[in-house]
Amino acid sequence: MNIYIYTIRRLLYVIPVLLGVCFIIFFLFNVVSPDPARMMLDKHATVKQIAEMRHELGLDRPFFMQYLDVVKSAFTFNFGRSWSTRQEISEMIMDGAIPSLSLSFPAFFLATLISICISLFVSFFRGKVIDRLAVIFCVGMMSVSSLAYILFGQWFLAYHMGLFEISGYEFGFPFFIPYVILPIIIWIILSIGPDVRFYRTVILDEIYQDYVRTARAKGLSEIVILFKHVLKNAMIPIITYVVIRIPFLILGALLLESFFSIPGLGGITLDAVKSSDFPVLKAMTVLSSIAYITFSVITDVLYTVVDPRVRLK
Amino acid sequence: MGEKILEVTDLKVEFNTDQGRINAVKGVSFDVYKGKTLGIVGESGSGKSVSALSIMRLIPDPPGRIVGGKALFKGQDLLQIPMNKMRNIRGNKIAMIFQEPMTSLNPVFTCGSQIEEVLAIHQMQLTKQQRKNKAVELLDLVGIPAPEKRIKEYPHQLSGGMRQRVMIAMSLACEPDILIADEPTTALDVTIQAQILELMHSLQKELGMGLIMITHDLGVVAEVCDDVSVMYCGKIVEAADVRTLFTRPKHPYTKGLINSIPSYDATDEGEKERLQTIRGMVPSLFDLPTGCSFQDRCDFASDKCRGFDGNPILKKIADGHEVSCWHPLSN
C-alpha cells in the first residue's frame, strides 16, 4: 500500500478518536462537574437568578446539543467567549500561542539537536572516561531543582551580570528575542540531562547489534557507522520520544512562563483554572487533544518512512 | 601446498570480565593458503570465533584485547597496522561473513545499497550505475533469482538462506584474498546449509580465495575443508589435512568429536547404534584445571597430564600433522 493512502486512512481513524475525546471532555465539564452557574454567582443567588445564568450559559439545553457544541468547537476552533474576561477564546489562544511558541519551539528544537549531538559524541567514546563523565554530569544536572537554575539565571546572569532581560515580553519580531534567550537556555539545560541519557541508551542499544559488526567488517569508518547505520536505526525510538512531546509545547511551559512573566498559553490555562473559566479550559483540553492525536498520526507516518519493516496494512 | 597468504602465529586474546580475566585464545597459530580452505573446529567457547574476529581486529575492546601474536598478510602484521589501514583491508582484501544472517544485515537499508556500500568505499573509481550493476551481478553470482528486483528489497523481505547469500555477495564484492566464514550455516535449515556450503565451495574455487571456515560441525569440515585445526579451550589441539584428521586422529578430543558424528549403521538386531558422546563438559575458562585442559574428559589422562608442567604443546608428529597431547593415539 502506498504511503499516501496509508496517511489518509490513518487520518480517517482520527475522527472516531476525536468524537470520543469530545465526549470525555463534555462528560467532565458538562455532566459531572459542579454547576458553573452556582460557582459564578455567589451563594445567596436565588433559584431564578441561577436559572437565568444557566440559560445564558446554554446549560439548560439538552445534553446532546451541549455535546454537539464541543464537537463543533473541535472542528471549527470556535470556542465561544471566556466567562471571566468575555474575550473571544480563539483570539486569547492566538495571542497566547505566539509568546508560548516563541519560547518553546526554539528551545525544544535546540535542546533536541544539542542532546542528540552530545549523545552521538559520548556513544562514540562509550565505556571511556569521557562517556562516564558525561553520564555523571547528566545525572548531576538532573538532580538540581529547576527552580535553582531559574533563580540563578535571573539573579546572577540577568540581574548581576546584566546579560539578559530578567522577565517580561514584547510582541513582534525581533523585539521578543532578548526576553526569551534566558528561558531558552534554562529549558535546554533542564532537557539535556534526561535527553542525553535517553538518546545515549537508544544509540548504545544499536551499537552492539550484529549489523554494526558487519559494517565494521566491510571497512566502514566508525563515523560513517555511527551517523549512517546506527543513527537511522536509532531514529525509530528517537522519533517517538521527540514527536510525541511536541503537543505539550503548545500548552506552554507553565513554570518558565510564570517565572519570566511571559504572557503565554501556560498563564492563560493557569488563570482559567483559578477562575473556573470552563470554556477556556475546555478549549485548551480540546486543542491539546487534537495536537496529541495529530502528532501521533505524524509519528506513525514517519515510522513508515524510517523503518521499512513497518508494514502498511 | 600453494601460496601462503596469511600466517597467524601465537595469537593471544584475553577478555576482562566482571568475574575476572579470561584467556580466550592462548597462542594459536595457523596458515591460510591461496585457494585452500582451512577449517577451525571446536565447541562453543573454544576461541575459534575470537581468533577469526582478531584477525579482522573486530574484537570488541573493551572487554577484549589482543595481547600477543602476529597475523602476517602480504608482509604486514594485521594486529599492528593502524586502524585506517586495517579498514582498507576489511571487506576489500579480507572479508567476513557471520553466523547470524537474520541480524547481520542492517534492517533499514536495502540489500542493494548494503552491497554497493562496500564498493563505494573500496572501489572508488566505480560510478553509481556501475556499482548498481555490480551489485546485481553479485546477487546473480550467489544464486539469488531476479537480482534486479532483490537489490531494492530490505533484509526482512528475504529468508535466512537468502540473507546469507546477500552477506556472501557483499563479502565477495571486492574479490577478497581471504574470506572468513564464522559458522555461516549454523543458523540455517539443513537443506539450505548444503546449498550455501556448495555455493561457498564453488565460489572459492572460481575466485581462488583462501577460506577460513569456522564451524563446530565436522560434517561441514569433511565437505569443504582442505586443512583442519581443532581448537579446545583457546588452543589448537590438533592440526592436519582433512583426510588425515578423519582417518588417523591423534588427539583423544578429535577422536571423540569424530565418534560423536551420528551414523546410520545399524547393528545386527536392527537397532541403531547408541550415539557416542564425549563425557563431561567443557571446563569453565575461569576455572581451568592445572595441566592439560582436556584431562577431565580424557580416557588416557595420566599424572603427567595433571601435573604443573602437564600443559602439552603442539608438536609435529608427521608431515603436516601436529598434535598437542602427551599420549597421542596410535592408529
Side-chain angles (χ1 to χ4, degrees):
Chain A
M1 190 161 64
N2 141 340
I3 187 164
Y4 301 106
I5 300 173
Y6 173 78
T7 310
I8 291 167
R9 197 137 154 207
R10 197 65 192 73
L11 282 172
L12 288 178
Y13 283 132
V14 168
I15 296 170
V17 176
L18 205 54
L19 289 177
V21 166
C22 287
F23 181 77
I24 294 169
I25 293 169
F26 153 78
F27 191 75
L28 289 175
F29 283 98
N30 296 40
V31 182
V32 297
S33 71
D35 189 348
R38 267 178 205 280
M39 282 161 50
M40 290 176 80
L41 300 164
D42 60 38
K43 55 187 172 184
H44 304 297
T46 63
V47 178
K48 189 167 169 265
Q49 276 175 313
I50 289 172
E52 270 169 10
M53 193 55 150
R54 285 181 62 86
H55 180 73
E56 194 186 324
L57 297 176
L59 298 174
D60 54 347
R61 294 184 307 145
F63 274 146
F64 184 69
M65 297 306 287
Q66 295 186 38
Y67 171 61
L68 275 190
D69 283 345
V70 181
V71 175
K72 218 163 47 183
S73 72
F75 285 93
T76 60
F77 294 112
N78 182 4
F79 299 99
R81 285 176 183 279
S82 155
W83 285 347
S84 50
T85 64
R86 295 274 133 206
Q87 242 185 309
E88 193 76 47
I89 292 172
S90 42
E91 260 171 43
M92 285 169 70
I93 288 172
M94 288 296 271
D95 288 347
I98 294 163
S100 275
L101 293 180
S102 67
L103 162 63
S104 60
F105 260 93
F108 181 70
F109 179 76
L110 287 173
T112 304
L113 197 71
I114 291 172
S115 299
I116 291 178
C117 289
I118 295 177
S119 315
L120 284 168
F121 182 75
V122 297
S123 305
F124 191 80
F125 296 100
R126 62 197 168 279
K128 306 246 158 68
V129 181
I130 211 164
D131 175 38
R132 301 251 163 93
L133 280 179
V135 173
I136 293 170
F137 201 64
C138 283
V139 175
M141 288 198 351
M142 284 161 74
S143 312
V144 178
S145 159
S146 51
L147 294 176
Y149 293 112
I150 294 173
L151 294 177
F152 172 79
Q154 283 189 317
W155 178 78
F156 187 74
L157 299 178
Y159 171 72
H160 206 75
M161 309 275 290
L163 295 174
F164 311 102
E165 297 289 340
I166 297 175
S167 73
Y169 191 81
E170 211 171 314
F171 280 85
F173 184 83
F175 311 110
F176 74 87
I177 292 174
Y179 296 95
V180 293
I181 292 177
L182 184 56
I184 286 175
I185 291 172
I186 291 172
W187 180 309
I188 293 171
I189 288 171
L190 287 174
S191 312
I192 278 180
D195 284 8
V196 167
R197 271 167 49 89
F198 177 82
Y199 297 134
R200 177 183 168 274
T201 311
V202 165
I203 293 166
L204 288 189
D205 267 353
E206 293 298 331
I207 259 176
Y208 293 110
Q209 298 289 326
D210 288 334
Y211 69 80
V212 174
R213 187 182 56 188
T214 308
R216 289 203 185 102
K218 280 159 121 179
L220 294 175
S221 69
E222 288 295 315
I223 299 283
V224 174
I225 291 172
L226 197 60
F227 278 87
K228 188 175 166 191
H229 288 257
V230 170
L231 192 58
K232 187 149 187 211
N233 278 281
M235 274 330 274
I236 298 155
I238 289 177
I239 283 175
T240 321
Y241 184 76
V242 170
V243 179
I244 220 67
R245 283 187 308 163
I246 293 176
F248 297 102
L249 304 183
I250 293 160
L251 281 178
L254 275 180
L255 198 68
L256 285 175
E257 281 181 12
S258 62
F259 266 88
F260 287 91
S261 310
I262 291 169
L265 292 176
I268 292 176
T269 316
L270 213 57
D271 288 343
V273 171
K274 281 184 202 149
S275 59
S276 298
D277 197 343
F278 279 17
V280 175
L281 286 178
K282 250 197 251 180
M284 290 308 296
T285 321
V286 169
L287 275 184
S288 45
S289 309
I290 291 173
Y292 194 83
I293 295 167
T294 313
F295 281 97
S296 40
V297 173
I298 293 175
T299 312
D300 283 354
V301 174
L302 282 179
Y303 279 162
T304 65
V305 177
V306 174
D307 190 349
R309 286 164 300 181
V310 176
R311 294 269 170 85
L312 303 178
K313 268 191 207 142
Chain B
M1 275 290 187
E3 184 195 339
K4 196 189 277 183
I5 41 178
L6 177 71
E7 185 177 356
V8 176
T9 35
D10 205 24
L11 176 69
K12 289 190 177 103
V13 184
E14 60 180 35
F15 280 82
N16 282 309
T17 68
D18 294 339
Q19 290 100 347
R21 179 178 298 177
I22 55 169
N23 299 308
V25 176
K26 299 178 280 198
V28 161
S29 306
F30 53 81
D31 300 329
V32 181
Y33 295 90
K34 193 171 172 13
K36 295 279 180 190
T37 304
L38 169 70
I40 300 181
V41 196
E43 288 167 274
S44 312
S46 59
K48 55 192 194 305
S49 290
V50 172
S51 306
L53 288 168
S54 302
I55 300 168
M56 291 287 270
R57 300 262 292 275
L58 284 172
I59 293 289
D61 175 15
R65 212 155 64 86
I66 299 168
V67 286
K70 270 189 183 145
L72 283 179
F73 172 75
K74 295 191 168 171
Q76 45 191 351
D77 183 359
L78 296 179
L79 307 182
Q80 299 295 334
I81 57 171
M83 223 26 167
N84 58 345
K85 275 197 174 167
M86 190 67 219
R87 278 199 289 270
N88 278 330
I89 291 175
R90 285 177 181 169
N92 188 15
K93 302 282 177 226
I94 305 179
M96 187 158 183
I97 55 180
F98 300 96
Q99 184 179 348
E100 307 86 0
M102 307 312 272
T103 52
S104 291
L105 290 167
N106 192 328
V108 300
F109 292 104
T110 59
C111 297
S113 74
Q114 294 190 54
I115 297 172
E116 286 163 40
E117 195 176 28
V118 189
L119 296 166
I121 47 175
H122 295 306
Q123 304 198 348
M124 280 178 278
Q125 76 282 6
L126 296 181
T127 64
K128 207 170 159 50
Q129 188 56 44
Q130 284 172 318
R131 288 203 295 266
K132 201 179 156 193
N133 296 343
K134 186 92 193 271
V136 173
E137 266 170 47
L138 284 162
L139 286 185
D140 194 42
L141 180 73
V142 297
I144 289 183
E148 308 79 20
K149 225 179 88 201
R150 294 292 182 185
I151 57 164
K152 291 191 207 97
E153 291 191 342
Y154 290 93
H156 73 273
Q157 292 165 298
L158 305 177
S159 67
M162 283 295 166
R163 287 188 215 185
Q164 198 61 295
R165 284 172 196 264
V166 172
M167 280 295 290
I168 295 172
M170 204 154 85
S171 64
L172 298 179
C174 300
E175 289 169 21
D177 296 322
I178 301 173
L179 177 61
I180 304 174
D182 187 0
E183 306 215 25
T185 58
T186 306
L188 303 174
D189 287 345
V190 183
T191 47
I192 310 294
Q193 276 189 21
Q195 289 173 13
I196 296 286
L197 286 177
E198 181 50 43
L199 172 72
M200 292 183 62
H201 199 54
S202 64
L203 288 173
Q204 184 212 5
K205 294 289 168 244
E206 204 176 315
L207 304 170
M209 316 175 277
L211 177 62
I212 304 178
M213 177 68 79
I214 292 159
T215 179
H216 61 259
D217 186 345
L218 280 177
V220 172
V221 171
E223 261 176 81
V224 298
C225 296
D226 298 300
D227 300 293
V228 193
S229 290
V230 180
M231 280 189 80
Y232 189 76
C233 289
K235 290 176 72 176
I236 290 178
V237 292
E238 185 161 8
D241 65 275
V242 69
R243 177 175 289 275
T244 311
L245 192 94
F246 275 92
T247 54
R248 293 193 301 279
K250 290 292 178 194
H251 198 284
Y253 179 63
T254 316
K255 177 87 179 160
L257 283 181
I258 293 168
N259 283 344
S260 49
I261 301 173
S263 70
Y264 285 114
D265 298 340
T267 58
D268 295 340
E269 290 85 37
E271 274 177 36
K272 287 213 172 127
E273 216 177 302
R274 203 183 144 83
L275 205 60
Q276 289 196 39
T277 56
I278 305 173
R279 68 187 159 86
M281 289 210 308
V282 187
S284 158
L285 288 173
F286 293 109
D287 189 25
L288 286 177
T290 311
C292 176
S293 305
F294 191 59
Q295 55 179 270
D296 293 337
R297 307 175 74 185
C298 184
D299 292 331
F300 308 96
S302 63
D303 287 345
K304 185 167 181 60
C305 306
R306 299 191 182 92
F308 281 102
D309 52 356
N311 209 346
I313 44 165
L314 203 59
K315 271 182 308 209
K316 195 171 191 175
I317 52 160
D319 201 26
H321 193 172
E322 291 172 296
V323 65
S324 80
C325 184
W326 297 116
H327 311 292
L329 304 170
S330 51
N331 36 25

